[in-house]
Every structure is written in structure tokens, then in C-alpha cells.
Amino acid sequence: MKTIVVLAILIAVGLGVAFHFAGSQAKKTTSTLLAFPDQAAQATAHANLSAALPALQTFAVENGGYGGLTIDSLRQIDPSVSAGVSLHDVSAAGACLQVTVRTSTASVTAPGGAIVDGPCP
């Protein structure tokens, strides 16, 4: 009789430990899966910005700078410029191009800036 009670206690403890580890692993998996849409939105923002950069550079070369730059002028150069693209701080010497996808934003300051996460400064 004692053996059965001891065996039942050991099984119960083993099951409790197994459920604890399974629950913590499920929590890690869920948080990882929930991060995928944010990562995809950030990657899309970077890709859309990279695709619009050649039009920005072409405008600057053709016009001797960034004065008069608009989204429409970028779309005249490249009609595929994304709808989420916006311009900030446009001057003859430079401009900041920004793309927002869902809640993720990427930007680049021209001339010569690198693509960064976050809005235009």
C-alpha cells in the first residue's frame, strides 16, 4: 500500500514539473509568434524606402538639389513609389524620406544618410 502511495506522489510531482516546463515553453513560443507582424512591417518599411531612394537621387541629380521635391515628382520618376512614403525637411541641400508600415517607421536623410528605424529627425 505504501508503495502505491509513493508511486502516485512521484507521478503527480512528475506531471506537475512537465506541465510547468510545457507552459513556460508555450509562453516563449507565443511571444515570438506575436513579434512576427512587427518584424515584417519593419522589413517592409525598409524595402519600400530602399525602392524609393533611386527616384530621390535621380531628382537631386536632374535638378541640382532637392529644392521643389514632392512625392508627385518622385512618382513621375518612379510610379511605384509606395503610398506610405512621406517627405520631411525638404530644402535645396537635403531632404528626409520616411516610410510607415503599420506601426513601424523607417527613414533616410539625403544626401548620403543610412536607412534607420524611426521617423525623420
Side-chain angles (χ1 to χ4, degrees):
M1 183 70 178
K2 274 183 158 180
T3 306
I4 294 175
V5 171
V6 170
L7 185 59
I9 290 172
L10 288 174
I11 289 172
V13 169
L15 286 173
V17 170
F19 282 123
H20 171 73
F21 284 116
S24 66
Q25 185 62 36
K27 184 177 180 181
K28 289 178 188 175
T29 302
T30 301
S31 65
T32 301
L33 291 175
L34 291 175
F36 283 152
D38 292 335
Q39 292 170 353
Q42 193 65 42
T44 302
H46 278 254
N48 290 349
L49 196 54
S50 292
L53 272 177
L56 179 69
Q57 293 163 343
T58 300
F59 181 90
V61 168
E62 290 177 352
N63 295 283
Y66 300 94
L69 176 65
T70 64
I71 294 297
D72 288 336
S73 61
L74 289 178
R75 288 199 179 110
Q76 286 175 352
I77 297 167
D78 181 0
S80 68
V81 170
S82 168
V85 173
S86 59
L87 286 167
H88 302 272
D89 302 324
V90 177
S91 69
C96 186
L97 192 62
Q98 178 176 304
V99 176
T100 300
V101 176
R102 293 180 33 134
T103 59
S104 298
T105 301
S107 63
V108 62
T109 302
I115 296 175
V116 296
D117 293 337
C120 288

